[in-house]
Amino acid sequence: QQQVKQSPQSLIVQKGGISIINCAYENTAFDYFPWYQQFPGKGPALLIAIRPDVSEKKEGRFTISFNKSAKQFSLHIMDSQPGDSATYFCAAIEYGNKLVFGAGTILRVKS
Amino acid sequence: DVKVTQSSRYLVKRTGEKVFLECVQDMDHENMFWYRQDPGLGLRLIYFSYDVKMKEKGDIPEGYSVSREKKERFSLILESASTNQTSMYLCASSGTGGSIWGTDTQYFGPGTRLTVL
């Protein structure tokens, strides 16, 4: 059973649109939430990360929104570009315990 | 830039063969990891190591073993490959910011796609 549930499994967005990927968790001891981006033929790479004491973190066109009470967090990609087409993984870690990954979302941005 | 390299991008083996997957990192990282990636299941941890000759089981260690004789190298071994081990295998490493399971970024290699026939 996945400790972090990620949705949707795949997503198609028009160029310039907003891509939204959602994740939910049950373990309230999780205290760090990274997102990884994986291009075809490459390994995952850290994209952006957030701690639960922050409700939002923005880096360029990428924003993480965090809702601690709902135990949910999401990645928003503003002005999505074809170069953003990749697989995105949310993840969570409890300090001293293992990093757990969501199932992944395959994003395709149509030009 | 951190570089994690894996010995093969694609590998085809037969059932029952012994398979070695090699991983090398060049950043003097203490911690190294082996994951397998399957569609719909994300990344699942097989084994990890926080020091030379040290190893710990992850979530799915059955059918696998590992070896870490040098700090920069971490090998995954499939003692007797089976078809259900057909998968993408990812190696990662991370630095020494405290606990192996802290906020240190894990840096991944490009992966080895293993097919067992």
Side-chain angles (χ1 to χ4, degrees):
Chain A
Q1 186 179 3
Q2 294 227 278
Q3 296 187 51
V4 178
K5 295 185 179 178
Q6 184 172 347
S7 62
Q9 193 170 0
S10 63
L11 182 62
I12 300 174
V13 174
Q14 288 291 131
K15 179 183 175 181
I18 302 173
S19 304
I20 303 174
I21 302 170
N22 301 299
C23 288
Y25 63 97
E26 288 297 324
N27 183 359
T28 54
F30 285 146
D31 53 12
Y32 186 65
F33 299 86
W35 284 85
Y36 281 81
Q37 179 188 52
Q38 183 181 29
F39 292 109
K42 305 284 187 183
L46 180 68
L47 179 64
I48 187 172
I50 197 168
R51 290 189 178 277
D53 54 349
V54 175
S55 61
E56 186 176 280
K57 183 174 182 180
K58 187 175 181 179
E59 288 185 4
R61 296 183 294 107
F62 298 89
T63 300
I64 302 178
S65 298
F66 192 88
N67 186 330
K68 190 173 181 178
S69 60
K71 291 183 285 186
Q72 295 175 347
F73 59 110
S74 59
L75 177 69
H76 291 66
I77 306 174
M78 312 301 287
D79 186 27
S80 298
Q81 299 297 313
D84 297 330
S85 297
T87 300
Y88 292 82
F89 294 96
C90 61
I93 193 165
E94 173 188 350
Y95 191 84
N97 213 331
K98 291 186 286 292
L99 179 66
V100 293
F101 288 86
T105 296
I106 301 171
L107 170 66
R108 184 161 76 98
V109 181
K110 294 171 67 174
S111 55
Chain B
D1 275 355
V2 175
K3 195 165 184 184
V4 179
T5 57
Q6 295 184 229
S7 52
S8 306
R9 295 301 303 273
Y10 299 94
L11 210 52
V12 180
K13 295 292 182 180
R14 296 209 173 272
T15 301
E17 281 193 79
K18 190 168 186 176
V19 181
F20 293 87
L21 303 182
E22 304 284 337
C23 174
V24 177
Q25 51 94 2
D26 67 357
M27 281 302 292
D28 200 35
H29 282 168
E30 299 289 337
N31 312 312
M32 297 189 75
F33 312 82
W34 276 106
Y35 293 88
R36 63 177 283 176
Q37 179 179 0
D38 299 288
L41 296 177
L43 279 67
R44 293 179 293 166
L45 182 66
I46 305 171
Y47 267 96
F48 62 97
S49 169
Y50 52 88
D51 201 352
V52 176
K53 296 194 185 293
M54 306 304 290
K55 59 186 179 185
E56 296 279 350
K57 293 180 180 178
D59 297 317
I60 51 165
E62 296 79 18
Y64 304 94
S65 62
V66 290
S67 172
R68 192 162 180 205
E69 296 297 319
K70 293 185 177 181
K71 189 176 185 180
E72 68 271 17
R73 189 179 298 269
F74 193 34
S75 302
L76 179 69
I77 303 154
L78 286 67
E79 296 289 342
S80 178
S82 64
T83 55
N84 63 12
Q85 292 178 311
T86 292
S87 186
M88 170 69 82
Y89 289 89
L90 291 164
C91 174
S93 72
S94 69
T96 57
S99 168
I100 184 173
W101 302 115
T103 58
D104 279 351
T105 298
Q106 290 191 19
Y107 295 89
F108 285 84
T112 295
R113 185 164 294 282
L114 172 67
T115 302
V116 182
L117 302 175

